[in-house]
Every structure is written in structure tokens, then in C-alpha cells.
Amino acid sequence: MLLDVLGLAAVGLVAGVASTVVSLASIVSYPALLAFGLPPLTANVTNTVALLFTGVGAAAGSRPELAGQKPLIGRLGLATALGGATGAALLLVTPSRTFEAVAPWLIAGASLLLLLRPPRPGRVRLGGENGLALRVGVFCVAVYTGYFGAAGGIMMFAVLAAALDRPAAGVNAVKNVIGAFANAVAAVWFALFGPVDWAAVAPLAVGFLVGGWLGPAVARRLPGETLRLAAALCGLAVAVKLGFDVYRGG
């Protein structure tokens, strides 16, 4: 039992850092929960509840990048909260096969978007940070995050990077915080109506909290182009892996 607790905390630590740097928390933590014996649905909802603490840690560790961004986070946070609630509700009432089938294509598309050379600084993108297109984009990604979630952070990073005239570390910080809104609302749904394994949540959440706090310091030290390309390449690798898993059976 103690080894399981320590193992889950270690998984959370690694996944928390991965989440805040290259948006791949669930790619680390979800398979680990399956390996610890949790059924797929239980692992999914347990992971989402624990992921809330990554956002808390990331917000604490990203204070320099978040300075002056509260109005933007408030606007986008509402859209992600609504999207996360919608996705969580869909997960609880529908089979996940449809999202599993389209997820590799969504992730690959977002990753390819990140590989494109970003617009010149100062140029308005996707209608700007106050535009409707940005809010619709983050809402749609949040629906995906609340429902299925794999590499949702990469998709959110891609949408934000296409709209915000900020360094990659600043975009990443916004992504980490507004992603927590989607996770928070989905976590409430799952806590009330889903098969959450609370014994697994506690150590995983501790690891997520610490990893989320450490991750921004790592991202801060990476050149913006390196951070963007790392997220894109990791996303493409995840898309290939998920596509193989989903389509190899027919």
C-alpha cells in the first residue's frame, strides 16, 4: 500500500511537470492508473479530479508570466469552464468511442498548427485576444478536455498561440491556468456522479501540485521556439500512438 502511494505521487510529479512544460500530463498519468489496476472509466475520472492540482501548482509557479493577464484569464476561464462542464456531462452519458476515433486527428492538427511559423509580433491573430474566435476555440478544446482529455493541453496551447501576441512561456502559463477551469468543473461532475477512486486521487494530486509548481520554472528556461516545437513534436507522437491504438483493430 505504501509503495502504491509513493508510486502514484511520483507519477503525479512527473506528469505535473510534463503538463506545464509540454502539456502531456494524461499521457503519463492515465496509463499509470491503468497499470495500478483501475478500470478505464475510473482511471479517466480519477485522473481529471487529480489534474485540478496541476493548475493550482502552475498558477503559483507562473506568477511572473501571469502578471497583468487576469482580465484575459477571466474571459477565457469562463469559456473553458463551460466547455469542461459540457465535455464531462457528455462523458457520463455517452460512449467514448467517437472521441477516441477523432482524437488522433484533432491532436495531429493542433500539433501541425504549432509547427507553422507564428505571425509577426504585433500582428492581430484570430481576431485578437478579445475576439469571439478565441473564446469559441478554447470552449471547443475544453469540451474535448472534459470528455477525453489526451493531449488537450497541446490543443489549447495551439489555439492560444494562434491568437495571443505573447512569448511562448506566457502563452503556456495562460494555458495552464485556464485549463484548470475546465478540469475544476469536470472534477465536480465526476466527484458527484463518476466512479472516482479517492484513495488514488490523494497521492496523485500531491505529485501534480508539486510538479505543476516546478514545471513553469523549466518552461521559463526553454527558448520560446524550443518550447513550441517540443509541444508540437510530442503532440504528433501522441497522435500516432493513439491512432495506432484506435484503428489497428479495424
Side-chain angles (χ1 to χ4, degrees), residues 103-116 154-155 158 235-236 239:
W105 302 102
L106 294 174
I107 296 167
S111 301
L112 291 173
L113 181 61
L114 282 177
L115 286 175
L116 297 177
I154 288 174
M155 296 168 62
L236 288 174

Side-chain angles (χ1 to χ4, degrees), residues 200-215:
V201 165
L204 194 62
V206 171
F208 276 143
L209 181 65
V210 177
W213 175 67
L214 292 174

Side-chain angles (χ1 to χ4, degrees), residues 11-21 25 51 54 207-213 215-216:
V11 166
L13 176 63
V14 174
V17 173
S19 173
T20 51
V21 177
L51 268 173
T54 300
F208 276 143
L209 181 65
V210 177
W213 175 67

